[in-house]
Amino acid sequence: MNIHEYQGKELLAKYGVGIPAGIAALTVEEAVAAAKQLPGPLYVVKAQIHAGGRGKGKFKELPADAKGGVRLAKSIEEVEAFAKEMLGNTLVTIQTGEAGKQVNRLYVTDGVDIDKEYYLSMLVDRKTGRVAMIVSTEGGMDIEEVAHNTPEKIATITIDPAEGFQAHHGRAVAFALKLSGDLNKQAQKLAKQLYTAFIAMDCDMVEINPLVQSKGGELLVLDTKMSFDSNALARHPDIFALRDETEEDPAEIEASKYDLAYIKLDGDIGCMVNGAGLAMATMDIIKLNGMFPANFLDVGGGANKEKVTAAFKIILADPAVKGILVNIFGGIMKCDIIAEGIVAAAKEVNLSVPLVVRLEGTNVQQGKDILANSGLAIVPANDLGDAAKKIVAEVQAVA
Ligand code: ADP
Ligand code: MG
């Protein structure tokens, strides 16, 4: 689960991390009121969307030469003008895709006099099984480009979870950032605070870009991106409450209500499969046959009629879907029960695209009979290869 910049900053502030003052706003009036509470004379008005690259982003509704989603305001009047320009409009950044994201929230924050920008992020490194802290002196700009062109400017410090954060980790971070004197001490302290926060909140990823050194000699967090391990959210109701559903794909929200693992993809073939491994194999074999999956969808081991119906509805709501491939192994749930679910669901949703079903497992023959006698144009398949060939042929025949 992702959260907004201002929410991330509020969470990190509880761990002592240096954050410039700021207040979130949902309306122009709130933005003005927020600015009045800040010391000034410089304010930054920041669009709050779950995507980075806002500074260099463009608003669809504004002229091409207009500034992006991070604006420096020199007066309260400017804060008001920028808030009017941003709220309700669509910001397109390198991370939003062409459709962009509507800006519904702003963050009005202190303008910081910046001396230098750094990069610092943390993530769970699956290769080493440790939390990796990734730092660079080249913050503020596209870190992917730095990684590509000058990888030597990026340092990775990993922390063994059994050992925990040690003083030497902090020194390594400060050294990699080439800081000396008091700033070096601040960096060591910050690294420890961030690691503590990361573990305590079950984070997946924390990215601070930029981390800045202010003209006053302070290390401050100017931007945050945070995401949390969804499997751990049950023990963090306060963090779960920060979820902003307007930032999520409506189909993925619907899927989560039925406990379906659904991820939208770019292809034409909707997939309904039980088990993540089988889902991956199904996607692979569709590609092998020359088309692309429209989604990843794992209905889980206990797929019943309600889940299958919900899954059909979610797949069909995607206008890109030109055909559906159901590939289910009846293990815990018997094939005849699944077949009944598929037939009932297909009738309920008024299936309008070709449907190929491959069933295997317990009571497979009864299941196939139910599909054959349903009166629906369901194409049966015998194995994975057969199923993929058939759905591709069906879709291409319609096109
Ligand atoms: P994004 O990464 O989405 O573009 P950032 O919050 O990183 O958004 O802002 C982009 C740039 O704007 C930063 O690299 C920094 O130079 C400047 N900036 C952001 N917040 C402030 C602030 N509070 N004071 C001064 N400059 C800021
Ligand atoms: Mg940034």
Side-chain angles (χ1 to χ4, degrees):
M1 188 188 88
N2 299 322
I3 59 170
H4 289 291
E5 172 197 359
Y6 75 93
Q7 297 168 327
K9 285 181 169 172
E10 284 167 11
L11 290 175
L12 292 179
K14 292 184 190 159
Y15 292 83
V17 172
I19 310 269
I23 299 162
L26 295 168
T27 62
V28 175
E29 295 72 41
E30 283 179 18
V32 169
K36 284 184 180 158
Q37 287 184 55
L38 296 172
L42 286 182
Y43 312 90
V44 181
V45 184
K46 308 182 80 172
Q48 298 296 291
I49 54 171
H50 285 186
R54 295 162 302 166
K56 289 185 182 166
K58 291 277 169 215
F59 279 96
K60 275 195 176 167
E61 297 83 356
L62 300 183
D65 60 347
K67 293 236 167 63
V70 178
R71 310 255 189 107
L72 186 68
K74 296 194 184 76
S75 64
I76 305 245
E77 290 69 39
E78 276 195 348
V79 169
E80 182 173 11
F82 295 161
K84 275 189 188 146
E85 283 188 17
M86 290 195 212
L87 278 172
N89 281 340
T90 315
L91 183 58
V92 181
T93 82
I94 197 162
Q95 291 183 10
T96 60
E98 267 171 49
K101 285 200 160 176
Q102 192 180 46
V103 177
N104 303 317
R105 301 182 195 208
L106 298 174
Y107 186 53
V108 184
T109 175
D110 251 349
V112 175
D113 227 348
I114 301 171
D115 220 5
K116 180 152 176 44
E117 300 192 322
Y118 303 93
Y119 177 92
L120 190 159
S121 69
M122 276 180 292
L123 46 83
V124 180
D125 181 349
R126 281 154 219 286
K127 230 186 249 169
T128 57
R130 296 174 172 196
V131 172
M133 207 171 261
I134 298 157
V135 297
S136 175
T137 50
E138 309 304 302
M141 62 171 97
D142 203 353
I143 194 70
E144 286 84 3
E145 240 162 67
V146 177
H148 186 258
N149 300 332
T150 47
E152 70 280 2
K153 290 192 171 160
I154 296 179
T156 303
I157 293 110
T158 63
I159 298 137
D160 184 335
E163 186 195 15
F165 192 94
Q166 302 293 320
H168 67 87
H169 295 122
R171 287 195 295 272
V173 168
F175 178 78
L177 292 175
K178 297 193 165 63
L179 294 171
S180 57
D182 185 55
L183 282 164
N184 182 293
K185 288 212 181 75
Q186 287 185 51
Q188 294 188 42
K189 194 167 149 199
L190 174 74
K192 184 170 184 178
Q193 289 164 336
L194 289 174
Y195 181 81
T196 308
F198 190 94
I199 298 295
M201 294 190 278
D202 290 308
C203 295
D204 258 346
M205 191 268 310
V206 172
E207 185 180 55
I208 295 168
N209 188 26
L211 168 70
V212 304
Q213 171 183 332
S214 72
K215 289 245 160 71
E218 260 186 298
L219 268 194
L220 294 170
V221 167
L222 247 54
D223 187 14
T224 64
K225 248 183 137 182
M226 283 178 84
S227 72
F228 301 88
D229 181 347
S230 29
N231 295 311
L233 282 171
R235 54 189 196 197
H236 302 289
D238 52 329
I239 294 171
F240 187 64
L242 301 177
R243 182 173 178 192
D244 180 356
E245 290 197 349
T246 65
E247 291 286 335
E248 296 176 20
D249 185 314
E252 288 177 16
I253 296 171
E254 189 63 18
S256 69
K257 284 186 199 153
Y258 293 91
D259 213 11
L260 303 166
Y262 172 88
I263 292 158
K264 165 106 185 73
L265 300 168
D266 297 331
D268 304 315
I269 312 278
C271 304
M272 176 154 64
V273 189
N274 64 342
L278 195 56
M280 299 298 279
T282 305
M283 289 159 58
D284 280 347
I285 205 151
I286 289 171
K287 279 193 171 183
L288 196 65
N289 283 274
M291 290 192 80
F292 289 90
N295 63 277
F296 169 95
L297 198 162
D298 174 9
V299 291
N304 54 24
K305 186 191 157 216
E306 283 67 42
K307 278 194 171 188
V308 172
T309 308
F312 262 121
K313 285 186 180 161
I314 289 164
I315 292 175
L316 284 170
D318 177 357
V321 168
K322 299 199 177 73
I324 300 178
L325 173 52
V326 175
N327 184 17
I328 289 189
F329 177 76
I332 299 169
M333 193 63 64
K334 296 186 182 75
C335 287
D336 50 331
I337 308 279
I338 291 164
E340 276 168 9
I342 293 170
V343 170
K347 283 185 176 157
E348 194 181 325
V349 299
N350 245 330
L351 198 66
S352 51
V353 294
L355 170 63
V356 172
V357 178
R358 181 250 178 162
L359 287 179
E360 193 51 87
T362 315
N363 292 355
V364 64
Q365 198 48 51
Q366 286 101 304
K368 285 185 174 175
D369 291 345
I370 290 167
L371 296 179
N373 300 327
S374 67
L376 294 166
I378 299 174
V379 180
N382 292 321
D383 58 43
L384 202 49
D386 185 39
K389 277 197 194 88
K390 280 181 174 158
I391 189 62
V392 168
E394 289 284 327
V395 169
Q396 284 172 350
V398 175

